[in-house]
Coordinates of all heavy atoms in Angstrom, one line a residue:
M1 N -16.6 -8.3 -35.5 CA -16.5 -9.4 -34.4 C -15.1 -9.7 -34.2 O -14.6 -9.9 -33.1 CB -17.3 -10.6 -34.9 CG -17.3 -11.7 -33.9 SD -18.2 -11.2 -32.4 CE -18.0 -12.6 -31.5
V2 N -14.3 -9.8 -35.3 CA -12.9 -10.1 -35.2 C -12.1 -9.0 -34.4 O -11.2 -9.3 -33.6 CB -12.3 -10.3 -36.6 CG1 -10.8 -10.5 -36.5 CG2 -12.9 -11.5 -37.2
R3 N -12.5 -7.8 -34.7 CA -11.9 -6.6 -34.0 C -12.1 -6.7 -32.5 O -11.2 -6.4 -31.7 CB -12.4 -5.3 -34.6 CG -11.7 -4.1 -34.0 CD -12.2 -2.8 -34.6 NE -11.9 -2.8 -36.0 CZ -12.4 -1.9 -36.9 NH1 -13.2 -0.9 -36.4 NH2 -12.0 -1.9 -38.1
K4 N -13.3 -7.0 -32.1 CA -13.6 -7.1 -30.7 C -12.9 -8.3 -30.0 O -12.4 -8.2 -28.9 CB -15.1 -7.3 -30.5 CG -15.9 -6.1 -30.7 CD -17.4 -6.3 -30.4 CE -18.2 -5.1 -30.7 NZ -19.7 -5.4 -30.5
L5 N -12.7 -9.4 -30.8 CA -12.0 -10.5 -30.2 C -10.5 -10.2 -30.1 O -9.9 -10.5 -29.0 CB -12.1 -11.7 -31.2 CG -11.4 -13.0 -30.8 CD1 -12.0 -13.5 -29.5 CD2 -11.5 -14.0 -31.8
I6 N -9.9 -9.5 -31.0 CA -8.5 -9.1 -30.9 C -8.3 -8.1 -29.8 O -7.4 -8.2 -29.0 CB -8.0 -8.5 -32.3 CG1 -8.0 -9.7 -33.3 CG2 -6.6 -7.9 -32.1 CD1 -7.6 -9.2 -34.7
L7 N -9.2 -7.1 -29.7 CA -9.1 -6.2 -28.6 C -9.3 -6.9 -27.2 O -8.6 -6.5 -26.3 CB -10.2 -5.1 -28.8 CG -10.2 -4.0 -27.8 CD1 -8.9 -3.2 -27.9 CD2 -11.3 -3.0 -28.0
G8 N -10.2 -7.8 -27.1 CA -10.3 -8.6 -25.9 C -9.1 -9.4 -25.5 O -8.7 -9.4 -24.3
V9 N -8.5 -10.0 -26.5 CA -7.3 -10.8 -26.2 C -6.2 -9.9 -25.8 O -5.4 -10.2 -24.9 CB -6.9 -11.6 -27.5 CG1 -5.5 -12.2 -27.4 CG2 -7.9 -12.7 -27.7
F10 N -6.1 -8.7 -26.5 CA -5.0 -7.7 -26.1 C -5.3 -7.2 -24.6 O -4.3 -7.1 -23.9 CB -5.0 -6.6 -27.1 CG -4.1 -5.5 -26.7 CD1 -2.7 -5.7 -26.9 CD2 -4.5 -4.3 -26.2 CE1 -1.8 -4.7 -26.6 CE2 -3.6 -3.3 -25.8 CZ -2.2 -3.5 -26.0
A11 N -6.5 -7.0 -24.3 CA -6.8 -6.5 -22.9 C -6.5 -7.6 -21.9 O -5.9 -7.3 -20.8 CB -8.3 -6.1 -22.8
V12 N -6.8 -8.8 -22.1 CA -6.5 -9.9 -21.2 C -5.0 -10.1 -21.1 O -4.5 -10.3 -20.0 CB -7.2 -11.2 -21.7 CG1 -6.7 -12.4 -20.9 CG2 -8.7 -11.1 -21.5
T13 N -4.3 -10.0 -22.2 CA -2.8 -10.1 -22.1 C -2.2 -9.0 -21.3 O -1.3 -9.2 -20.5 CB -2.3 -10.1 -23.5 OG1 -2.9 -11.2 -24.3 CG2 -0.8 -10.3 -23.5
A14 N -2.7 -7.8 -21.5 CA -2.2 -6.6 -20.8 C -2.5 -6.8 -19.3 O -1.6 -6.5 -18.4 CB -2.7 -5.3 -21.3
L15 N -3.7 -7.2 -18.9 CA -4.0 -7.3 -17.5 C -3.2 -8.5 -16.9 O -2.8 -8.4 -15.7 CB -5.5 -7.6 -17.4 CG -6.4 -6.3 -17.7 CD1 -7.8 -6.7 -17.6 CD2 -6.1 -5.2 -16.7
A16 N -3.0 -9.6 -17.6 CA -2.3 -10.7 -17.1 C -0.8 -10.3 -16.9 O -0.2 -10.7 -15.9 CB -2.4 -11.9 -18.0
A17 N -0.3 -9.6 -17.8 CA 1.1 -9.1 -17.6 C 1.3 -8.2 -16.4 O 2.3 -8.2 -15.7 CB 1.6 -8.5 -18.9
N18 N 0.3 -7.3 -16.2 CA 0.3 -6.4 -15.1 C 0.1 -7.0 -13.8 O 0.6 -6.5 -12.8 CB -0.8 -5.3 -15.4 CG -0.6 -4.1 -14.5 OD1 0.5 -3.9 -14.0 ND2 -1.6 -3.3 -14.3
S19 N -0.6 -8.1 -13.7 CA -0.9 -8.8 -12.4 C 0.3 -9.7 -12.0 O 0.2 -10.3 -10.9 CB -2.2 -9.6 -12.5 OG -2.0 -10.6 -13.4
G20 N 1.3 -9.9 -12.8 CA 2.4 -10.7 -12.4 C 2.3 -12.1 -12.9 O 3.1 -13.0 -12.6
C21 N 1.4 -12.4 -13.8 CA 1.3 -13.7 -14.4 C 2.4 -14.0 -15.4 O 3.0 -15.0 -15.5 CB -0.1 -13.9 -15.0 SG -1.4 -14.0 -13.8
L22 N 2.6 -13.0 -16.3 CA 3.6 -13.1 -17.4 C 4.9 -12.5 -17.0 O 6.0 -13.1 -17.3 CB 3.1 -12.5 -18.7 CG 1.8 -13.1 -19.2 CD1 1.4 -12.3 -20.5 CD2 2.0 -14.5 -19.6
L23 N 4.9 -11.4 -16.4 CA 6.1 -10.7 -15.9 C 6.2 -10.8 -14.4 O 5.3 -10.3 -13.7 CB 6.2 -9.3 -16.4 CG 6.1 -9.1 -17.9 CD1 6.0 -7.6 -18.2 CD2 7.3 -9.6 -18.6
N24 N 7.2 -11.4 -13.9 CA 7.3 -11.5 -12.4 C 7.6 -10.2 -11.8 O 8.4 -9.4 -12.3 CB 8.4 -12.6 -12.1 CG 8.3 -13.0 -10.7 OD1 7.4 -12.6 -10.0 ND2 9.2 -13.9 -10.3
Q25 N 7.0 -10.0 -10.7 CA 7.1 -8.7 -10.0 C 8.5 -8.6 -9.2 O 9.0 -7.6 -9.0 CB 6.0 -8.5 -9.0 CG 6.0 -7.2 -8.2 CD 4.9 -7.1 -7.3 OE1 4.0 -8.0 -7.2 NE2 4.8 -6.0 -6.6
Y26 N 8.9 -9.8 -8.7 CA 10.1 -9.8 -7.9 C 11.3 -10.4 -8.7 O 11.2 -11.1 -9.6 CB 9.8 -10.7 -6.7 CG 8.7 -10.2 -5.9 CD1 7.5 -10.9 -5.8 CD2 8.7 -9.0 -5.2 CE1 6.4 -10.5 -5.1 CE2 7.6 -8.5 -4.5 CZ 6.5 -9.3 -4.4 OH 5.4 -8.8 -3.7
S27 N 12.5 -10.1 -8.2 CA 13.7 -10.6 -8.8 C 13.8 -12.1 -8.6 O 13.3 -12.7 -7.6 CB 14.9 -9.9 -8.1 OG 16.1 -10.4 -8.6
S28 N 14.6 -12.8 -9.4 CA 14.8 -14.2 -9.3 C 16.0 -14.5 -8.3 O 16.1 -15.6 -7.8 CB 15.2 -14.8 -10.6 OG 16.4 -14.2 -11.1
N29 N 16.8 -13.5 -8.0 CA 17.8 -13.6 -7.0 C 17.2 -13.7 -5.6 O 16.5 -12.7 -5.2 CB 18.8 -12.5 -7.1 CG 20.0 -12.6 -6.1 OD1 20.0 -13.5 -5.3 ND2 20.9 -11.6 -6.2
P30 N 17.4 -14.7 -4.8 CA 16.7 -14.8 -3.5 C 17.0 -13.7 -2.5 O 16.2 -13.2 -1.8 CB 17.2 -16.1 -2.9 CG 17.8 -16.9 -4.0 CD 18.2 -15.9 -5.1
D31 N 18.3 -13.2 -2.6 CA 18.6 -12.0 -1.7 C 17.9 -10.8 -2.0 O 17.3 -10.1 -1.2 CB 20.1 -11.8 -1.7 CG 20.9 -13.0 -1.1 OD1 20.4 -13.7 -0.3 OD2 22.0 -13.2 -1.6
E32 N 17.9 -10.5 -3.3 CA 17.1 -9.3 -3.8 C 15.6 -9.4 -3.6 O 15.0 -8.5 -3.2 CB 17.4 -9.0 -5.3 CG 18.8 -8.6 -5.6 CD 19.0 -8.3 -7.0 OE1 18.0 -8.1 -7.7 OE2 20.2 -8.4 -7.5
R33 N 15.1 -10.6 -3.8 CA 13.7 -10.9 -3.6 C 13.3 -10.7 -2.1 O 12.3 -10.1 -1.8 CB 13.3 -12.3 -4.1 CG 11.8 -12.6 -4.0 CD 11.5 -13.9 -4.7 NE 12.2 -15.0 -4.2 CZ 13.0 -15.8 -4.9 NH1 13.2 -15.5 -6.1 NH2 13.6 -16.8 -4.3
M34 N 14.1 -11.2 -1.2 CA 13.8 -11.0 0.2 C 13.8 -9.5 0.6 O 13.0 -9.1 1.3 CB 14.8 -11.8 1.1 CG 14.5 -11.7 2.5 SD 12.9 -12.2 3.0 CE 13.0 -13.9 2.7
Q35 N 14.8 -8.8 0.0 CA 14.8 -7.3 0.3 C 13.6 -6.6 -0.2 O 13.0 -5.8 0.4 CB 16.1 -6.7 -0.3 CG 16.4 -5.3 0.2 CD 16.8 -5.3 1.6 OE1 17.4 -6.3 2.1 NE2 16.5 -4.3 2.3
Q36 N 13.1 -7.0 -1.4 CA 11.9 -6.4 -2.0 C 10.7 -6.8 -1.2 O 9.8 -5.9 -1.0 CB 11.8 -6.9 -3.4 CG 12.8 -6.4 -4.4 CD 12.7 -7.1 -5.8 OE1 12.1 -8.1 -5.9 NE2 13.4 -6.5 -6.7
L37 N 10.6 -8.0 -0.7 CA 9.5 -8.4 0.1 C 9.5 -7.6 1.5 O 8.4 -7.3 2.0 CB 9.5 -9.9 0.3 CG 9.1 -10.7 -0.9 CD1 9.4 -12.2 -0.6 CD2 7.7 -10.5 -1.3
L38 N 10.6 -7.4 2.0 CA 10.7 -6.7 3.3 C 10.3 -5.2 3.1 O 9.6 -4.7 3.9 CB 12.1 -6.8 3.9 CG 12.5 -8.1 4.5 CD1 14.0 -8.1 4.8 CD2 11.7 -8.4 5.7
Y39 N 10.7 -4.6 2.0 CA 10.3 -3.3 1.7 C 8.8 -3.2 1.5 O 8.2 -2.2 2.0 CB 11.1 -2.7 0.5 CG 12.5 -2.4 0.7 CD1 13.4 -2.3 -0.4 CD2 13.0 -2.1 2.0 CE1 14.7 -2.0 -0.2 CE2 14.4 -1.9 2.2 CZ 15.2 -1.8 1.1 OH 16.5 -1.5 1.3
Q40 N 8.3 -4.1 0.8 CA 6.8 -4.1 0.5 C 6.0 -4.3 1.8 O 5.0 -3.6 2.0 CB 6.5 -5.1 -0.5 CG 5.0 -5.1 -0.9 CD 4.6 -6.1 -1.9 OE1 5.4 -7.1 -2.1 NE2 3.5 -6.0 -2.5
S41 N 6.4 -5.2 2.7 CA 5.7 -5.4 3.9 C 5.8 -4.2 4.8 O 4.9 -3.9 5.5 CB 6.2 -6.7 4.6 OG 7.5 -6.5 5.0
E42 N 7.0 -3.6 4.8 CA 7.1 -2.4 5.7 C 6.2 -1.2 5.1 O 5.6 -0.5 5.9 CB 8.6 -1.9 5.7 CG 8.9 -0.7 6.5 CD 8.7 -1.0 8.0 OE1 8.7 -2.1 8.4 OE2 8.5 0.0 8.7
D43 N 6.1 -1.1 3.8 CA 5.2 -0.1 3.3 C 3.7 -0.4 3.6 O 3.0 0.5 4.0 CB 5.3 0.0 1.7 CG 6.7 0.5 1.3 OD1 7.4 1.2 2.1 OD2 7.0 0.3 0.1
L44 N 3.3 -1.7 3.6 CA 2.0 -2.0 3.9 C 1.7 -1.8 5.4 O 0.6 -1.5 5.8 CB 1.7 -3.5 3.5 CG 1.7 -3.8 2.0 CD1 1.5 -5.2 1.8 CD2 0.6 -3.0 1.3
R45 N 2.7 -2.0 6.2 CA 2.5 -1.8 7.7 C 2.3 -0.3 8.0 O 1.6 0.1 8.8 CB 3.8 -2.3 8.4 CG 3.6 -2.3 9.9 CD 4.9 -2.7 10.6 NE 6.0 -1.8 10.4 CZ 6.1 -0.7 11.1 NH1 5.2 -0.3 12.0 NH2 7.1 0.1 10.9
Q46 N 3.0 0.5 7.2 CA 2.9 2.0 7.5 C 1.7 2.6 6.9 O 1.4 3.8 7.3 CB 4.2 2.7 7.0 CG 5.4 2.3 7.9 CD 6.6 3.1 7.4 OE1 6.6 3.8 6.5 NE2 7.7 2.8 8.1
I47 N 1.0 1.9 6.0 CA -0.2 2.5 5.4 C -1.2 2.9 6.5 O -1.9 3.9 6.4 CB -0.7 1.6 4.3 CG1 0.1 1.8 3.1 CG2 -2.2 1.8 4.1 CD1 -0.4 0.9 1.9
K48 N -1.4 2.0 7.5 CA -2.4 2.3 8.5 C -2.1 3.6 9.2 O -3.1 4.4 9.4 CB -2.4 1.1 9.5 CG -3.4 1.2 10.6 CD -3.3 0.1 11.6 CE -4.3 0.3 12.7 NZ -4.1 -0.7 13.8
N49 N -0.9 3.8 9.6 CA -0.6 5.1 10.2 C -0.8 6.3 9.3 O -1.3 7.4 9.8 CB 0.9 5.1 10.8 CG 1.0 4.1 11.9 OD1 0.1 3.7 12.6 ND2 2.2 3.6 12.0
E50 N -0.4 6.2 8.0 CA -0.7 7.2 7.1 C -2.1 7.5 6.9 O -2.6 8.7 6.9 CB -0.1 6.9 5.7 CG 1.4 6.8 5.7 CD 2.1 8.1 5.9 OE1 1.5 9.2 5.5 OE2 3.2 8.2 6.5
W51 N -3.0 6.5 6.9 CA -4.4 6.7 6.7 C -5.0 7.3 8.0 O -5.9 8.2 7.8 CB -5.0 5.3 6.5 CG -6.5 5.4 6.0 CD1 -7.5 5.0 6.8 CD2 -6.9 5.8 4.8 NE1 -8.7 5.2 6.0 CE2 -8.3 5.7 4.8 CE3 -6.3 6.3 3.6 CZ2 -9.1 6.1 3.7 CZ3 -7.1 6.7 2.6 CH2 -8.5 6.6 2.6
R52 N -4.5 7.0 9.1 CA -5.0 7.6 10.4 C -4.6 9.0 10.4 O -5.4 9.9 10.9 CB -4.5 6.8 11.6 CG -5.2 5.5 11.8 CD -4.7 4.8 13.0 NE -5.3 5.6 14.1 CZ -4.8 5.7 15.3 NH1 -3.6 5.2 15.6 NH2 -5.4 6.4 16.3
R53 N -3.4 9.4 10.0 CA -2.9 10.7 10.0 C -3.7 11.6 9.0 O -4.0 12.7 9.2 CB -1.4 10.8 9.7 CG -0.8 12.0 10.0 CD 0.7 12.0 10.1 NE 1.4 11.1 9.2 CZ 2.1 10.1 9.6 NH1 2.3 9.9 10.9 NH2 2.7 9.3 8.8
F54 N -4.1 11.0 7.8 CA -4.9 11.7 6.8 C -6.3 12.0 7.3 O -6.7 13.2 7.1 CB -5.0 10.8 5.6 CG -5.9 11.4 4.5 CD1 -5.4 12.4 3.7 CD2 -7.2 10.9 4.3 CE1 -6.2 12.9 2.7 CE2 -8.0 11.5 3.3 CZ -7.5 12.5 2.5
W55 N -6.9 11.1 8.1 CA -8.2 11.4 8.6 C -8.2 12.0 10.0 O -9.2 12.2 10.6 CB -9.1 10.1 8.6 CG -9.5 9.7 7.3 CD1 -9.0 8.6 6.6 CD2 -10.4 10.3 6.4 NE1 -9.5 8.5 5.4 CE2 -10.4 9.5 5.2 CE3 -11.2 11.4 6.5 CZ2 -11.2 9.8 4.2 CZ3 -12.0 11.7 5.4 CH2 -12.0 10.9 4.3
F56 N -7.0 12.4 10.5 CA -6.8 13.0 11.8 C -7.3 12.1 12.9 O -7.9 12.6 13.9 CB -7.5 14.4 11.9 CG -7.0 15.4 10.9 CD1 -7.7 15.8 9.8 CD2 -5.7 15.9 11.0 CE1 -7.2 16.7 8.9 CE2 -5.2 16.8 10.1 CZ -5.9 17.2 9.1
N57 N -7.2 10.8 12.8 CA -7.6 9.9 13.9 C -6.5 9.7 14.8 O -6.7 9.0 15.9 CB -8.0 8.6 13.3 CG -9.3 8.6 12.6 OD1 -10.1 9.5 12.7 ND2 -9.6 7.7 11.7
D58 N -5.3 10.2 14.5 CA -4.2 10.0 15.4 C -4.1 11.1 16.5 O -3.2 11.1 17.3 CB -2.9 9.9 14.6 CG -2.6 11.2 13.9 OD1 -3.5 12.0 13.7 OD2 -1.4 11.3 13.4
Q59 N -5.1 12.0 16.6 CA -5.1 13.0 17.6 C -5.6 12.5 18.9 O -6.4 11.6 18.9 CB -5.9 14.2 17.1 CG -5.5 14.8 15.7 CD -4.1 15.3 15.8 OE1 -3.7 15.9 16.7 NE2 -3.3 15.1 14.7
P60 N -5.3 13.1 20.0 CA -5.8 12.7 21.3 C -7.3 12.9 21.3 O -7.8 13.9 20.8 CB -5.1 13.5 22.3 CG -4.1 14.3 21.6 CD -4.3 14.1 20.1
S61 N -8.1 12.0 21.9 CA -9.5 12.2 22.0 C -9.8 13.2 23.1 O -9.2 13.2 24.2 CB -10.1 10.8 22.3 OG -11.5 11.0 22.6
H62 N -10.8 14.0 22.9 CA -11.3 15.0 23.9 C -12.3 14.3 24.8 O -12.8 15.0 25.8 CB -11.9 16.2 23.2 CG -10.9 17.0 22.4 ND1 -9.9 17.7 23.0 CD2 -10.7 17.1 21.1 CE1 -9.2 18.3 22.0 NE2 -9.7 17.9 20.8
L63 N -12.7 13.1 24.6 CA -13.6 12.4 25.4 C -12.9 11.6 26.5 O -13.6 11.0 27.3 CB -14.5 11.5 24.6 CG -15.3 12.2 23.5 CD1 -16.0 11.1 22.6 CD2 -16.2 13.2 24.0
T64 N -11.6 11.6 26.6 CA -10.9 10.8 27.6 C -11.0 11.6 29.0 O -11.1 12.8 29.0 CB -9.4 10.7 27.3 OG1 -8.9 12.0 27.1 CG2 -9.3 9.9 26.0
P65 N -11.1 10.8 30.1 CA -11.1 11.5 31.4 C -9.8 12.2 31.7 O -9.9 13.2 32.4 CB -11.3 10.3 32.3 CG -10.9 9.1 31.6 CD -11.1 9.4 30.2
E66 N -8.7 11.8 31.1 CA -7.5 12.6 31.3 C -7.4 13.7 30.3 O -7.5 13.5 29.1 CB -6.2 11.6 31.2 CG -6.2 10.4 32.1 CD -6.9 9.2 31.4 OE1 -7.1 9.2 30.2 OE2 -7.3 8.3 32.1
R67 N -7.1 14.9 30.8 CA -7.0 16.0 29.9 C -5.5 16.1 29.4 O -4.6 15.9 30.2 CB -7.3 17.3 30.6 CG -8.8 17.3 31.0 CD -9.7 17.3 29.7 NE -11.1 17.2 30.1 CZ -11.9 16.5 29.4 NH1 -11.5 15.9 28.3 NH2 -13.2 16.5 29.7
I68 N -5.3 16.3 28.2 CA -4.0 16.3 27.6 C -3.7 17.8 27.3 O -4.5 18.5 26.6 CB -3.9 15.5 26.3 CG1 -4.2 14.0 26.7 CG2 -2.6 15.6 25.6 CD1 -4.3 13.1 25.6
H69 N -2.5 18.3 27.7 CA -2.2 19.7 27.6 C -2.0 20.1 26.1 O -2.5 21.0 25.7 CB -1.0 20.0 28.5 CG -0.6 21.4 28.4 ND1 0.4 21.9 27.6 CD2 -1.1 22.5 29.0 CE1 0.6 23.2 27.7 NE2 -0.3 23.6 28.6
G70 N -1.1 19.4 25.4 CA -0.9 19.7 24.0 C 0.3 20.6 23.8 O 0.8 20.7 22.7
G71 N 0.6 21.4 24.8 CA 1.7 22.4 24.7 C 3.0 21.8 25.2 O 3.1 20.6 25.7
I72 N 4.1 22.5 25.1 CA 5.4 22.1 25.7 C 5.4 22.4 27.2 O 5.2 23.6 27.5 CB 6.5 22.7 24.9 CG1 6.5 22.3 23.5 CG2 7.8 22.4 25.6 CD1 7.5 23.0 22.6
I73 N 5.6 21.4 28.0 CA 5.6 21.7 29.4 C 7.1 21.7 29.9 O 7.9 21.0 29.6 CB 4.9 20.6 30.2 CG1 3.4 20.6 29.8 CG2 5.0 20.7 31.7 CD1 2.5 19.5 30.4

């Protein structure tokens, strides 16, 4: 029982440290923290385009009334 309790406390501590509760994810310097937040928000903004490119949703639809040539004109 004691072994399970110690393992559980260790797991909770590791998860809390990983989630930013014990160890802060961002710098304490406001300038560096703002730069880190800008980089993170830009990464999150670009995830949508990466996901669409992965699933090939960014291709032109063949159901549109306008036909798209696709070659170099």
Side-chain angles (χ1 to χ4, degrees):
M1 182 66 179
V2 174
R3 185 180 295 170
K4 289 182 181 180
L5 181 65
I6 291 174
L7 185 61
V9 168
F10 178 73
V12 167
T13 304
L15 290 173
N18 194 22
S19 67
C21 293
L22 299 177
L23 300 174
N24 195 1
Q25 180 180 3
Y26 303 112
S27 174
S28 61
N29 183 358
D31 296 329
E32 289 180 24
R33 184 171 55 241
M34 182 56 69
Q35 193 69 33
Q36 290 169 346
L37 289 170
L38 285 173
Y39 286 158
Q40 184 181 16
S41 66
E42 182 66 21
D43 291 342
L44 292 174
R45 187 184 67 80
Q46 290 183 1
I47 279 178
K48 180 180 176 187
N49 293 334
E50 292 292 330
W51 192 250
R52 291 185 68 213
R53 195 164 31 244
F54 176 78
W55 289 109
F56 298 112
N57 290 341
D58 60 344
Q59 304 297 321
S61 174
H62 296 288
L63 301 175
T64 59
E66 303 90 18
R67 297 292 174 217
I68 298 175
H69 180 261
I72 299 175
I73 296 177

